[in-house]
Amino acid sequence: MPTSDLTYFDLLKQEIEATFRSRHPACTDPLPEWKGQDIVDFQEDLRTVAGGSISEKWFYTHMKNRAEALPRIDMLNMLSKYAGHESWKAFCYKADGSGTKEEVAAAAPPPEQPATPSGKSKKKRSRMAILMVILAAALSPVWMKKKPKVTACTFCFVEHLRNVPASAGRIELLLLSDGESPRRIQVDASGCVSFDTEDERVRFVVQSPYYKTDTIERVLHRKTDYREKFSLRPNDYAMMIHYLSTSNTKDWKKRRAQLMDMIAEDARILQVVEDGNHGIELYNREEFVNKLTLPVKSLRNIEVIESTYKGDKISFLRFIQNHEGHE
């Protein structure tokens, strides 16, 4: 009883699977389970070995699922060539086992004999050939380019020693990418930040007025999901200024002594005035300490924006004053 054409096609798919595995040993799944990168690699192999291409939809219709009808003969010839046969008919003769060497060879498609074109037809074909070459050159990078792998990154930050979420003030990530300007990402109230990247490694700088600056680099190893927790060392003096400005202590003398000891005598202290004009007020150490030690709520609640140290004392301080919640 003769073998049906669909049965031959199933046998051809088995040979295609074996050929693909020989070229990609990392692929161990059977052909019906191929997906994603396996299909992309197979499409590239077809272009390289057989000089043709198929779409992902065509693959799912004819290769991944049991076909109800044979594909076009030109597609069958291309797939047969990929599996190492001259043509679809040659494969069928060989698979059936009933054909002689001469019959198998005869089943190969005869070489095309170019007809002698007329002058106008020859010019038209020449122009079409040039256009096809230009189009192929333009599209080849698109065909050959693999879909980049996207990694969903989540980084969380905790305070060193206390191991609680780092949530004092504003924390920003300065995301550094080769060939691109740095991108700023805000850490949320829980001390975490999430973003997607196509890079195989990620590098960023953690910046905050209340924590020490740190630069972090990680290799993602082509993962689809990457999570990690980091500890940040507090900027102790900035933390203390914020605490002293918001606490309800009545020991003004002790508070004043602490502030005078933390700040250098020649420190430059700037207040950013958020009144719509974005003004700046300049303080010396004495004036700033007076501002924080007067028993008036409306003059306190300091939020540090930037601080610089000289030795173990603050030499430069930039701050804003929050008025929300004050009487």
Side-chain angles (χ1 to χ4, degrees):
M1 183 176 180
T3 306
S4 72
D5 287 343
L6 287 177
T7 302
Y8 281 129
F9 187 49
D10 288 337
L11 293 173
L12 177 60
K13 286 194 282 187
Q14 292 177 14
E15 290 201 12
I16 288 171
E17 179 183 323
T19 301
F20 181 78
R21 283 186 179 177
S22 70
R23 295 171 61 84
H24 299 271
C27 178
T28 57
D29 294 330
L31 189 149
E33 295 180 15
W34 289 1
K35 57 186 177 181
Q37 193 60 47
D38 294 329
I39 297 176
V40 172
D41 290 339
F42 177 61
Q43 289 172 315
E44 291 184 6
D45 268 0
L46 273 181
R47 283 190 286 270
T48 302
V49 176
S53 62
I54 60 172
S55 67
E56 187 172 352
K57 181 179 179 181
W58 194 96
F59 179 90
Y60 273 85
T61 301
H62 297 283
M63 302 289 288
K64 195 174 179 69
N65 301 314
R66 183 69 158 85
E68 296 180 0
L70 280 180
R72 299 194 317 264
I73 187 63
D74 58 326
M75 304 301 286
L76 291 171
N77 286 334
M78 177 182 67
L79 294 172
S80 299
K81 184 176 180 181
Y82 177 80
H85 303 282
E86 288 292 331
S87 67
W88 165 247
K89 285 187 177 181
F91 165 76
C92 292
Y93 273 118
K94 186 174 181 180
D96 189 58
S98 60
T100 64
K101 289 184 179 180
E102 290 73 21
E103 288 174 323
V104 172
E112 295 184 1
Q113 298 296 326
T116 304
S118 63
K120 289 184 179 180
S121 176
K122 189 174 182 180
K123 286 183 179 180
K124 185 176 180 181
R125 290 186 181 182
S126 178
R127 284 196 295 267
M128 286 296 294
I130 294 172
L131 288 174
M132 290 298 292
V133 170
I134 294 173
L135 184 61
L139 292 178
S140 59
V142 178
W143 290 337
M144 299 301 291
K145 185 179 179 180
K146 293 184 180 180
K147 186 177 181 180
K149 195 176 188 69
V150 176
T151 303
C153 298
T154 299
F155 297 107
C156 292
F157 303 92
V158 297
E159 289 188 11
H160 183 62
L161 298 180
R162 294 205 306 153
N163 200 36
V164 297
S167 57
R170 288 169 288 195
I171 305 175
E172 282 187 338
L173 257 62
L174 196 62
L175 191 59
L176 309 175
S177 300
D178 294 338
E180 295 183 9
S181 300
R183 180 159 60 104
R184 293 185 181 275
I185 306 176
Q186 192 80 24
V187 176
D188 63 26
S190 67
C192 296
V193 65
S194 298
F195 58 88
D196 295 338
T197 181
E198 296 176 358
D199 297 334
E200 293 186 359
R201 65 178 63 230
V202 63
R203 183 167 176 262
F204 56 86
V205 180
V206 187
Q207 296 178 327
S208 171
Y210 292 103
Y211 301 96
K212 294 183 179 179
T213 300
D214 197 3
T215 301
I216 296 169
E217 183 171 357
R218 287 292 183 270
V219 178
L220 304 178
H221 298 296
R222 296 177 60 83
K223 294 181 179 178
T224 57
D225 186 77
Y226 188 94
R227 297 171 180 268
E228 191 171 355
K229 182 170 68 174
F230 300 96
S231 63
L232 299 180
R233 293 183 176 274
N235 184 334
D236 294 327
Y237 280 5
M239 287 274 200
M240 191 177 295
I241 287 174
H242 181 66
Y243 168 75
L244 291 176
S245 73
T246 56
S247 64
N248 293 319
T249 181
K250 295 181 181 180
D251 192 348
W252 307 108
K253 186 176 180 179
K254 180 180 179 182
R255 174 187 288 186
R256 185 179 182 84
Q258 289 174 324
L259 289 167
M260 294 292 283
D261 186 59
M262 290 162 43
I263 303 171
E265 185 176 353
D266 59 348
R268 294 177 65 247
I269 304 172
L270 303 178
Q271 177 183 357
V272 179
V273 182
E274 297 185 328
D275 58 357
N277 297 320
H278 302 289
I280 297 290
E281 290 187 11
L282 179 63
Y283 295 84
N284 58 32
R285 180 177 68 170
E286 191 80 15
E287 292 169 336
F288 179 69
V289 172
N290 287 341
K291 182 178 181 70
L292 263 66
T293 55
L294 285 174
V296 180
K297 286 187 176 181
S298 61
L299 297 179
R300 306 206 316 269
N301 198 21
I302 297 299
E303 181 179 346
V304 175
I305 300 175
E306 180 183 359
S307 60
T308 304
Y309 292 82
K310 189 178 185 180
D312 60 351
K313 294 184 182 291
I314 295 175
S315 60
F316 175 80
L317 183 70
R318 190 191 303 270
F319 71 93
I320 58 174
Q321 185 174 337
N322 294 321
H323 298 285
E324 294 182 5
H326 287 272
E327 300 174 355

